[in-house]
Amino acid sequence: ADVFPVEYVEELAKLQDALPPADAASSIAALERELGVPIKYFDAFDQTPVAAASLAQVYRATLPGGRQVAIKLQRPGLAELVALDAVILRRFVAVVGKWRNFKSDVVGIVDELVGRIFEEMDYTKEADNCERFREVYAEDGDAGVGLAGYIGAPRVVRALSTPSVLTMEWVDGLRLTDIDGMIAHGFTPSEVLDRGLRASLHQLLTTGFMHTDPHPGNLIVAANGGLTYLDFGM
């Protein structure tokens, strides 16, 4: 908001979790192919994504036995699209960099960005990150002052996860932007913000293992007023 007009910021924010979903038939086919089980394996499966971001979309489902899960599915054909975007962007910044005589290595910056995006597309690594994050902020972990029990992450269902599909327990909570909802539940928004700030500083200065994308689409206010982090690709 310090750089772009508010109208641009609101549109760009839709990339977090409010994009149109990919074609339903191709998405379900990809999910069945990745998991090796038909959709009817689930006791319930909502084929309308609860969120759709630039790299993936998330479905809500019920496992046999009644456990609620969130299934993150990589958008079909994503690797090819990212590779094409990378080539276009790399050529573009190379030309602009010479024209504007940037002191920074803009091509190197693009290469680093693209490399991180491809890493983010490996959900096996994301599952590892998620579980490690949970361990740090567990009641008996190295959470730092005032954070144990107030910072969390979903449990991963490994048996239903692949490099392109990540299945996690379903987590209820309030959106970080739902100020009225927080107040109605007795939470003070400034205290929630303080926990997020303390958590980021703890990750940066103590553990060296940092969630680098804590935007409102990746944070849920939990029932105790703590924060549940989502999306551990980076």
Side-chain angles (χ1 to χ4, degrees):
D2 296 330
V3 179
F4 292 106
V6 65
E7 294 83 3
Y8 283 65
V9 173
E10 289 175 352
E11 287 299 311
L12 289 169
K14 294 177 182 178
L15 292 170
Q16 297 172 353
D17 60 4
L19 284 177
D23 174 68
S26 60
S27 297
I28 297 304
L31 184 62
E32 291 179 327
R33 183 171 61 252
E34 281 292 319
L35 296 182
V37 295
I39 289 299
K40 63 182 180 182
Y41 163 82
F42 299 95
D43 281 356
F45 187 96
D46 187 351
Q47 296 195 23
T48 301
V50 295
S54 51
L55 302 184
Q57 50 202 41
V58 179
Y59 297 90
R60 185 171 186 171
T62 305
L63 297 180
R67 185 181 181 188
Q68 298 279 310
V69 293
I71 302 176
K72 180 178 178 180
L73 171 67
Q74 194 172 109
R75 284 181 176 265
L78 180 65
E80 293 83 355
L81 290 173
V82 172
L84 178 59
D85 285 348
V87 171
I88 294 171
L89 185 58
R90 200 174 193 275
R91 291 181 178 178
F92 174 75
V93 298
V95 173
V96 173
K98 291 179 180 178
W99 173 48
R100 296 299 300 269
N101 195 27
F102 289 134
K103 290 183 172 61
S104 299
D105 178 12
V106 288
V107 174
I109 291 171
V110 168
D111 289 344
E112 178 71 13
L113 171 65
V114 172
R116 291 292 170 262
I117 290 176
F118 271 103
E119 285 185 10
E120 189 177 0
M121 289 162 55
D122 182 358
Y123 293 169
T124 302
K125 179 181 178 183
E126 181 173 349
D128 293 339
N129 290 342
C130 185
E131 292 184 334
R132 180 179 171 187
F133 191 91
R134 273 182 53 81
E135 290 174 1
V136 170
Y137 291 103
E139 292 285 357
D140 57 349
D142 181 25
V145 178
L147 293 178
Y150 285 99
I151 303 295
R155 291 180 175 84
V156 175
V157 182
R158 287 282 187 174
L160 293 174
S161 298
T162 74
S164 299
V165 175
L166 179 59
T167 302
M168 301 164 287
E169 66 175 334
W170 180 266
V171 178
D172 286 311
L174 300 170
R175 291 182 65 89
L176 195 62
T177 51
D178 186 3
I179 304 301
D180 292 338
M182 285 190 229
I183 295 173
H185 281 76
F187 306 142
T188 303
S190 60
E191 291 180 354
V192 176
L193 175 63
D194 182 71
R195 289 191 184 105
L197 178 59
R198 286 174 177 270
S200 288
L201 289 173
H202 177 252
Q203 294 160 34
L204 178 65
L205 301 175
T206 302
T207 67
F209 181 66
M210 188 173 187
H211 190 297
T212 61
D213 199 18
H215 62 67
N218 286 344
L219 289 163
I220 293 176
V221 182
N224 65 350
L227 290 169
T228 301
Y229 284 68
L230 308 173
D231 194 345
F232 291 85
M234 291 191 289

